[in-house]
Amino acid sequence: MKRASNEQYVPSSKIRSAADIERAAAGVIDVDAKTTTYVVLACIIAASGGVLFGYDGGVTGGVESMTQFKQWFFPGGDNSSFYCKYNNKPLQAYSAIMHFTGSLASIVASYFTQHWGRKGSMIIAGTSFCIGAIFQASAKNTVALLFIGRVFWGIGIGFGDHCAFIYTAEMAPPRWRGRLNTLVQLGTIGGIVVANAINIGTNNLIWGWRLSLGLAAVPGLILLMGGLFLPETPNSLVERGYLSEAKSVLQKVRGTKDVDVEFDTIVLANEALKGMESPWKAIFRRRNRPQLILAIAMPFFQQWSGVNGVSFFAPQIFAGINALGSGNKGSLIAAIIVNGVQLIATIITVFIVDKVGRRVLLVSGSALGFAAEIAVAIVFATSASSNAINLPYGASITSIVLIGLYSISFGFSWGPVGWLIPSEIHDLNTRSAGQSITVFTQLVSGATVTQSKRMQ
C-alpha cells in the first residue's frame, strides 16, 4: 500500500510501552479527549449505516402486506389462519436475498476498509442503497427489479454496518466510545420506527409501496454525503502513512491542539503491527480466540433471540391481533408501538451503558426477554385455535404488551450491547476482519431466522 511518507515518528508524550498503548486505548490514561459537537455529528452521520439496516427491516414487512404489491409480485399464499401468514416461497427469497448478499459484501468491505479507508466504504454503502431504492420503487409486474434492488441494498448494508462501527469507534474519545457506538444500534431501531410510520401513511395509497421503498434513498444519501464530506479517521490515516493529516484531523475532532498522548497511542499501536501477518490469519490464532468467539457468538445470539421476527415482520405478526383496528392499518399501528418502545429503551441505553456495564444489561435483558417470549407463546397457544384468523380482544392487548416488553428488553441489552462488545475487543490489526465476521454472522443468522419465520 502506498504511504504518504516514510518519516520516523518520535513520541512526545508519556506513552512508551505496549501496556501504555492498551491502557490509553481503554481510556485508563487520560488523553484529554473532549466530546465536541463535531465528533458527535460525525458519529451520528456514520450511524446512518445502522439506519440502512433498520429501514430495510421496518419497510419490508409493511410493504409486503400492501395490496397492490402482493397482487403484482407475490400473489397467492395462505392468509387464512392466525398461525400462517404469507407462506410464499418467492416472498421468502425476496426477504432473505438482502441478508445473504450483505453477508458476502461484509467480507469484501473488510479488505476495502483497511486499504482504502472508512470513508470509501461509506460512499459505497450510501450509493448502493440509493440505487437499490430506485430499482425497487420503479418495479412493475415483474420481480426482477425488486430482486436487483435487494441485492444493491445487501451491498449497502454489508458495507454500511461494517464501516459504521469502525468509524464511530475510531472517532469517539476513549471514555465515550461505548456511548457513541450505541448510536449505530439506535440508528437501526430508529430506521425501523421511521419505516413503520411511513408505511402507516402510505398504506391507503395504491402506489404507497413505491413511496415507502423509494424513501429508503434518504438514509442512503445521508451516508453518501457523510462519506464525501466527513474526515477520514485518524487511525485509518496513520495506518496508510498520512501522519500530519491524521494529527490535524484528531485536533479538529477533539477540539484541542493538545492531542499528543492520544496521537502517540494511535501511531505506536500502528507501528507495533507493522510486519505482522494478515488480519484474516491473525484473528484465527489462539491468542485472538476469545475475541473471535465473541465476534461470532454475540451477533448469533442477538439474531436468534427472535428480534427479526418481532421488529421486521411485526405487521404480519399483528395481522391477527385486532385490538387497534381491523385490516392492515391496525397491524401497522401495533408494529410502530412495539418498535417505538424499543427505540426509547435504546435511547436510555446510550446514556447508561458505560455506567451500568455491558454484563448487567445483557443478563437483565435476557431474563426479561425470555420471560416475555414464553408468556406471549402461552397467550397465542391458549387464545387462538388453528382455524382462527384473529385473537380475541383481551388476548390481543395482552400480546401487544408482552411483545412490547420483549422489545424493551432487547432495546437495552442484546440490541446495542450485541454490537458494542464485538466493536471494542479487537486490536488495530484484526479490527476490520473481526467486524466483517460480526456483520457476516449477523446477516446470515438474520436470513436464517427470517426464513424460519416465513415458513411457519
Side-chain angles (χ1 to χ4, degrees):
M1 188 67 191
K2 183 179 178 181
R3 295 185 175 274
S5 68
N6 293 317
E7 61 182 298
Q8 295 294 317
Y9 182 76
V10 179
S12 57
S13 71
K14 60 185 177 182
I15 299 295
R16 291 291 184 272
S17 67
D20 287 339
I21 294 172
E22 292 296 327
R23 291 173 63 223
V28 177
I29 294 178
D30 185 6
V31 296
D32 192 29
K34 301 176 181 178
T35 305
T36 62
T37 302
Y38 188 91
V39 75
V40 172
L41 179 62
C43 290
I44 290 175
I45 294 176
S48 60
V51 177
L52 303 185
F53 185 59
Y55 190 91
D56 165 76
V59 80
T60 300
V63 164
E64 289 173 354
S65 63
M66 293 183 184
T67 302
Q68 187 184 75
F69 186 87
K70 289 188 296 182
Q71 291 176 346
W72 276 13
F73 303 111
F74 304 104
D78 185 0
N79 192 31
S80 61
S81 170
F82 175 76
Y83 290 108
C84 186
K85 303 292 181 184
Y86 309 114
N87 186 16
N88 186 303
K89 299 299 183 187
L91 191 62
Q92 293 172 20
Y94 172 73
S95 301
I97 191 172
M98 183 281 294
H99 291 82
F100 287 121
T101 304
S103 65
L104 297 177
S106 69
I107 304 299
V108 179
S110 170
Y111 182 87
F112 189 95
T113 301
Q114 185 173 23
H115 290 81
W116 283 281
R118 289 50 165 160
K119 281 163 54 73
S121 290
M122 293 169 67
I123 292 172
I124 291 176
T127 302
S128 298
F129 215 72
C130 289
I131 293 173
I134 293 171
F135 272 114
Q136 292 185 82
S138 60
K140 186 175 182 179
N141 294 328
T142 175
V143 298
L145 287 180
L146 288 179
F147 276 78
I148 293 173
R150 292 287 286 178
V151 168
F152 274 103
W153 274 12
I155 295 172
I157 288 171
F159 274 82
D161 275 358
H162 183 273
C163 69
F165 284 96
I166 293 179
Y167 188 93
T168 305
E170 293 180 345
M171 291 293 277
R175 67 179 63 183
W176 295 97
R177 191 163 291 147
R179 178 175 297 182
L180 291 177
N181 232 359
T182 56
L183 290 177
V184 183
Q185 174 61 20
L186 183 62
T188 299
I189 184 60
I192 294 174
V193 172
V194 169
N196 290 157
I198 290 174
N199 283 339
I200 291 175
T202 61
N203 180 57
N204 293 326
L205 301 174
I206 191 171
W207 45 267
W209 61 271
R210 294 189 187 276
L211 185 58
S212 292
L213 292 172
L215 286 175
V218 175
L221 187 62
I222 292 173
L223 191 60
L224 173 60
M225 292 298 102
L228 292 174
F229 296 109
L230 288 177
E232 187 58 89
T233 69
N235 302 66
S236 178
L237 292 170
V238 168
E239 191 175 3
R240 292 179 288 146
Y242 299 94
L243 300 184
S244 299
E245 184 179 349
K247 189 168 187 177
S248 176
V249 169
L250 189 60
Q251 290 171 337
K252 185 174 184 179
V253 299
R254 295 293 180 259
T256 178
K257 296 292 184 180
D258 185 15
V259 295
D260 289 342
V261 175
E262 185 176 6
F263 188 65
D264 288 349
T265 300
I266 297 171
V267 173
L268 293 177
N270 184 74
E271 290 293 327
L273 296 173
K274 286 184 179 179
M276 286 189 174
E277 61 186 340
S278 163
W280 284 99
K281 290 182 179 180
I283 199 167
F284 289 99
R285 298 296 186 190
R286 180 183 294 272
R287 65 180 183 274
N288 290 317
R289 190 166 297 169
Q291 293 92 323
L292 177 62
I293 291 174
L294 283 174
I296 296 173
M298 294 301 294
F300 177 84
F301 288 113
Q302 181 196 62
Q303 290 302 300
W304 281 96
S305 69
V307 65
N308 276 0
V310 174
S311 296
F312 291 4
F313 302 116
Q316 282 80 0
I317 293 175
F318 293 129
I321 298 177
N322 59 359
L324 300 177
S326 59
N328 196 39
K329 186 174 182 179
S331 66
L332 291 174
I333 293 174
I336 197 172
I337 291 174
V338 167
N339 289 318
V341 296
Q342 185 181 150
L343 175 63
I344 295 172
T346 306
I347 292 173
I348 295 173
T349 305
V350 171
F351 295 98
I352 68 172
V353 63
D354 289 321
K355 295 179 180 179
V356 176
R358 283 72 166 152
R359 179 178 297 180
V360 172
L361 292 175
L362 277 178
V363 172
S364 58
S366 297
L368 177 60
F370 176 78
E373 286 185 307
I374 293 297
V376 77
I378 293 173
V379 172
F380 283 174
T382 58
S383 301
S385 65
S386 58
N387 296 321
I389 296 178
N390 295 311
L391 282 178
Y393 182 84
S396 295
I397 293 293
T398 303
S399 298
I400 292 173
V401 171
L402 290 173
I403 295 174
L405 284 175
Y406 166 78
S407 291
I408 291 172
S409 73
F410 187 86
F412 70 77
S413 60
W414 282 98
V417 181
W419 281 111
L420 178 58
I421 290 178
S423 72
E424 296 177 322
I425 57 179
H426 302 288
D427 60 32
L428 187 60
N429 185 40
T430 59
R431 182 176 297 161
S432 185
Q435 186 63 22
S436 283
I437 291 172
T438 296
V439 175
F440 179 87
T441 305
Q442 196 264 358
L443 290 172
V444 170
S445 299
T448 307
V449 171
T450 298
Q451 292 303 287
S452 66
K453 173 63 186 173
R454 285 294 188 188
M455 292 185 289
Q456 289 177 357

